[in-house]
Amino acid sequence: MGLYFGTDGIRGVANREITPDLAFRCGNALAAVGSGKIVVGRDTRRSGDALAAALAAGALSGGCDVIYAGVAPTPGVAFLASAAGCFGVVISASHNPAAFNGIKIFSEKGVKLSDAQEETIERHMAAPSLADACGCGSMSFMRSADSYTDFLVSSAAERLDGLKIVLDCANGATCETAVNVFGALGAEVFALGVSPDGENINDGCGSLHPSAAAEAVVRLGADAAFCLDGDGDRVIAVDENGRVVDGDMLLYILAAAGKKKGKDIGVVVGTSHTNMGVEKALDGIGVRLLRADIGDKYVREMMEQSGAALGGEQSGHIIMKDFCGTGDGVLTAVAVSGLIKHKRLSLLADAKLYPQVNLDIVVADKMMVINHEELWKTAAEIGRETGGRILVRASGTEPKIRIMAECLGEEKCRAAAERLAEAVRNIRR
C-alpha cells in the first residue's frame, strides 16, 4: 500500500481522511499523467458531490477535460472510460458505510491502475500544478445509464423471461441500472434497496447484508436474489431456498458452466481467501485455481499473466475478461441468471465448502498490529495445531485486521479464529 492508495483506490472517512483538498490534488495529478480527459462518476453518498466537484476542479485547473457522468456504477465508469479511451474515476467507498468515501481510478483500458501507476499519481499529488488562464480544461455532462445498460443487456446469452429475481441494490449506484437491465431481459423483478437518501447506502442491505433478500426469495417464491454493493462492482447471490451463494461459489459455477459449454477454461484466478472446497471442486472438472493477493486489481493482473478469462474474490468481485476489465456485479448476476433458467441455483452451487470463519477486528494502528512478532508466532502455532489455513492481513480499505481460519470442523475453525482475534486485541491494548 502506498501513501494514499490501498488495495482498492484511496479510501477513508469523508471530510476527515478523504477531503476535498485531497480530491483536488488527485484530479490535478491525473491531469499531469493522463490523456487530456477523464470520466468521473460517483455513488449515492452525500459526500459524493463535494468530492466529485473537487476532483473535477483539480483536473480542470491542470488542463484536463472532465466528462461528468453523475451517479453511476463503478463498472459503468470503467466501461465509459474504455469507450472514451481515457482515465475513469469513481467517487465511492464501495461496500463501506455512508460516512466513508474514496477515489477509484481506471486506465483507458477500463482496468484498475497498477501499483506503479498509483505511485506516479501519488508523486504528482505532492506537487500540484496549474495550467495557465486559457489552458484550463472544459467540463461536459453525460447520462451514463443508457450505453452501459445496453452493454449489459447485450452481454446476456439469452433472455430471462419466466424468472422471478430479487435485486438488492444497497441503496447505491445500481438502483436504476440493475432493475432496468433485468426488466429489459424479461425477468420479473422485485427490487430492494432502491431508495437512496445519501446516508443509507449499504445500511443493512446489499452484499454485506443478504438476509432481507433471502427472506424475500422464500416469501415470494423467487428463483434467486442478487445482492449488490454500493457501487455495483460485487455481488452475492441467494438461491431459491434462501441460502447465500458467495463469490467463491459464483466463480465455480461460472467456470463449470463454461467447461460444460466446451470453453477452454484450464485456469481461473481466486485469492488467498478462496475456499479450499472450491479449489478441489474446480480441480475435479479439470480447472486449476491460481491464488492472487486480496484485491480485485491483483486478481486482474494474475489473469493477464496466466491467460485466465475468469477470476474473482469471495466478496463477490467477479471478473469476466471477455466482457469487462473489472468486477461487475450486474454483469455477473445476468450471467448466473441465464444458467438458472435451466438448473436451480442450489443445484449449480454443488461444491462442498470447507468451514471458514472470517473476523474483522477494528484497531487504531493496523500496520503496527500486523507487523507485531507475537501475532505471527500465534498464527503459525494455530496453523500447526489445526492443520488448516490461517490468514491474517491488514485491511486495505478500513482500520481493521482481517482474520480467516479454514479447517475441517466448524468448532475447531471458530476457536482458531477467536484465539487469533484475542491475540490482535492483546496487541491493540
Side-chain angles (χ1 to χ4, degrees), residues 361-369 399-401 428:
I361 313 299
V362 176
V363 295
D365 187 343
K366 61 186 177 184
M367 298 315 297
M368 182 275 289
V369 173
K400 294 179 178 179
I401 297 297
R428 186 180 60 181

Side-chain angles (χ1 to χ4, degrees), residues 22-106:
L22 184 146
F24 180 95
R25 287 187 285 117
C26 184
N28 192 262
L30 290 173
V33 304
S35 59
K37 64 180 176 181
I38 59 174
V39 176
V40 178
R42 67 176 184 87
D43 67 20
T44 56
R45 295 163 208 271
R46 191 174 300 280
S47 59
D49 279 334
L51 294 172
L55 186 136
L60 292 166
S61 65
C64 180
D65 292 338
V66 174
I67 304 169
Y68 185 54
V71 173
T74 287
V77 174
F79 169 80
L80 296 171
S82 178
C86 66
F87 279 126
V89 183
V90 187
I91 305 299
S92 173
S94 190
H95 61 284
N96 293 146
F100 286 75
N101 218 323
I103 303 170
K104 297 185 179 185
I105 306 173
F106 293 89

Side-chain angles (χ1 to χ4, degrees), residues 254-343:
L254 291 170
K259 289 287 284 188
K260 189 174 182 180
K261 292 177 181 177
K263 293 184 179 180
D264 183 19
I265 301 178
V267 62
V268 299
V269 177
T271 72
S272 55
H273 269 209
T274 303
N275 195 284
M276 276 292 296
V278 164
E279 183 171 13
K280 288 195 171 186
L282 287 168
D283 184 64
I285 59 173
V287 178
R288 185 164 60 103
L289 176 74
L290 300 179
R291 294 180 182 270
D293 289 338
I294 298 292
D296 64 318
K297 76 173 184 178
Y298 300 121
V299 171
R300 169 71 193 198
E301 287 174 0
M302 187 169 283
M303 289 172 67
E304 287 292 335
Q305 295 165 7
S306 65
L310 180 65
E313 296 188 286
Q314 189 178 86
S315 61
H317 285 118
I318 304 296
I319 303 173
M320 294 183 282
K321 195 171 70 173
D322 291 344
F323 294 95
C324 185
T326 191
D328 191 322
V330 181
L331 180 70
T332 302
V334 168
V336 174
S337 294
L339 303 175
I340 295 172
K341 281 201 71 173
H342 306 283
K343 190 175 185 179

Side-chain angles (χ1 to χ4, degrees), residues 25 29 55 78 82 103 122 147 173 202 208 243 272 276 316 360 376 392 403 421:
R25 287 187 285 117
L55 186 136
S82 178
I103 303 170
E122 287 184 338
S147 59
N202 300 313
L208 288 182
R243 184 173 66 98
S272 55
M276 276 292 296
D360 291 344
W376 292 104
V392 190
I403 293 168

Side-chain angles (χ1 to χ4, degrees), residues 6-31:
T7 55
D8 195 10
I10 303 172
R11 197 174 301 186
V13 176
N15 273 355
R16 188 187 303 169
E17 293 98 2
I18 307 300
T19 64
D21 173 69
L22 184 146
F24 180 95
R25 287 187 285 117
C26 184
N28 192 262
L30 290 173

Side-chain angles (χ1 to χ4, degrees), residues 231-254:
D231 69 332
D233 62 357
R234 61 166 74 177
V235 64
I236 296 295
V238 177
D239 72 16
E240 73 280 2
N241 300 314
R243 184 173 66 98
V244 172
V245 179
D246 68 10
D248 285 350
M249 191 67 81
L250 293 175
L251 184 65
Y252 163 72
I253 288 170
L254 291 170

